Amino acid sequence: MSSAFDAVCHHTLTDRLRSDFGVSGTCLQWIASYLSKRSSSVCVNSTSSVAVTTHFGVPQGSVLGPVLFTAYVAPVSRLIGHTGIDFHQYADDINIYTSLSSSPTDLTHPTLCTRSLQHWLWHNGLLLNPDKSVAALFGTRQRLARPGWPTQFTVSGSDIKMSDHLKILGVTLDSSMTLDSHVTATVRACNFHLLAAAPELFAP
């Protein structure tokens, strides 16, 4: 999603906490107080802009921020479930997945799912971000070598080309699920940090 944490409507969030999660009374008042009358400004060197009261967004970097955002987008799970698509969600990242064994070119359900998701997000002040979206196929090398697999997928009106790998929560998954790409990236990162911490170990 695009700038998802900054686009949360406070009024919608408190209504959702009340209706979907049964939060009421003093507890709901605490959360409303936590969100209300917050202001933000931009500071460059020693110069600051005028502080502006924010009516949208949850504080990023806070303990409650991810929890409140998760509650805000909770209906997404029901929406995706009705389309018959499996999914995994972490904060503002949503991964949908399905089997294409019956017809390699049939993307009806994933397309319906992303379209429904897009409209729900529009209605709730959020946007899907095609630039951050990735589509990938997973299977054996022999199966993926067969013709007929889709070469792209549409998200928010933009065509997303199929990739041979994608990254989920820090883990790089390649199309054949060998984890070679992830292992290579991890080893590269370890070597970088070892070199930075103890360069004498790598001296010729």
Side-chain angles (χ1 to χ4, degrees), residues 38-75:
R38 286 185 171 272
S39 60
S40 60
S41 62
V42 177
C43 180
V44 179
N45 296 326
S46 59
T47 304
S48 299
S49 67
V50 176
V52 177
T53 301
T54 55
H55 301 285
F56 294 86
V58 292
Q60 297 190 46
S62 64
V63 175
L64 282 180
V67 177
L68 293 175
F69 180 81
T70 300
Y72 188 75
V73 297

Side-chain angles (χ1 to χ4, degrees), residues 5-96:
F5 279 68
D6 297 328
V8 172
C9 174
H10 296 167
H11 179 70
T12 302
L13 173 58
T14 53
D15 281 349
R16 190 152 293 149
L17 287 171
R18 183 188 299 108
S19 61
D20 288 24
F21 298 94
V23 180
S24 61
T26 303
C27 184
L28 188 63
Q29 292 173 14
W30 282 345
I31 296 174
S33 175
Y34 174 75
L35 295 172
S36 64
K37 297 182 181 179
R38 286 185 171 272
S39 60
S40 60
S41 62
V42 177
C43 180
V44 179
N45 296 326
S46 59
T47 304
S48 299
S49 67
V50 176
V52 177
T53 301
T54 55
H55 301 285
F56 294 86
V58 292
Q60 297 190 46
S62 64
V63 175
L64 282 180
V67 177
L68 293 175
F69 180 81
T70 300
Y72 188 75
V73 297
V76 163
S77 61
R78 297 193 296 269
L79 182 148
I80 296 177
H82 289 158
T83 64
I85 295 290
D86 294 313
F87 77 102
H88 175 267
Q89 181 180 353
Y90 181 79
D92 58 341
D93 289 324
I94 300 175
N95 305 296
I96 64 171

Side-chain angles (χ1 to χ4, degrees), residues 35-201:
L35 295 172
S36 64
K37 297 182 181 179
R38 286 185 171 272
S39 60
S40 60
S41 62
V42 177
C43 180
V44 179
N45 296 326
S46 59
T47 304
S48 299
S49 67
V50 176
V52 177
T53 301
T54 55
H55 301 285
F56 294 86
V58 292
Q60 297 190 46
S62 64
V63 175
L64 282 180
V67 177
L68 293 175
F69 180 81
T70 300
Y72 188 75
V73 297
V76 163
S77 61
R78 297 193 296 269
L79 182 148
I80 296 177
H82 289 158
T83 64
I85 295 290
D86 294 313
F87 77 102
H88 175 267
Q89 181 180 353
Y90 181 79
D92 58 341
D93 289 324
I94 300 175
N95 305 296
I96 64 171
Y97 52 95
T98 188
S99 170
L100 296 179
S101 57
S102 58
S103 177
T105 57
D106 185 11
L107 295 177
T108 302
H109 290 296
T111 301
L112 174 63
C113 178
T114 54
R115 187 180 298 125
S116 300
L117 181 59
Q118 179 183 27
H119 285 287
W120 186 91
L121 293 174
W122 279 348
H123 184 70
N124 288 269
L126 301 172
L127 291 174
L128 284 178
N129 190 341
D131 293 333
K132 292 184 178 179
S133 300
V134 180
L137 295 169
F138 296 94
T140 62
R141 288 190 176 93
Q142 293 79 6
R143 185 170 178 79
L144 292 176
R146 299 175 185 173
W149 295 108
T151 58
Q152 61 186 24
F153 185 70
T154 302
V155 174
S156 295
S158 299
D159 291 331
I160 308 299
K161 291 185 177 180
M162 292 292 179
S163 174
D164 58 359
H165 69 278
L166 56 80
K167 198 169 186 177
I168 300 178
L169 298 180
V171 179
T172 302
L173 302 177
D174 56 89
S175 294
S176 299
M177 298 294 283
T178 63
L179 292 181
D180 289 345
S181 299
H182 180 71
V183 172
T184 299
T186 302
V187 170
R188 186 183 300 114
C190 290
N191 287 336
F192 173 81
H193 290 294
L194 285 172
L195 179 60
E200 65 278 3
L201 297 178

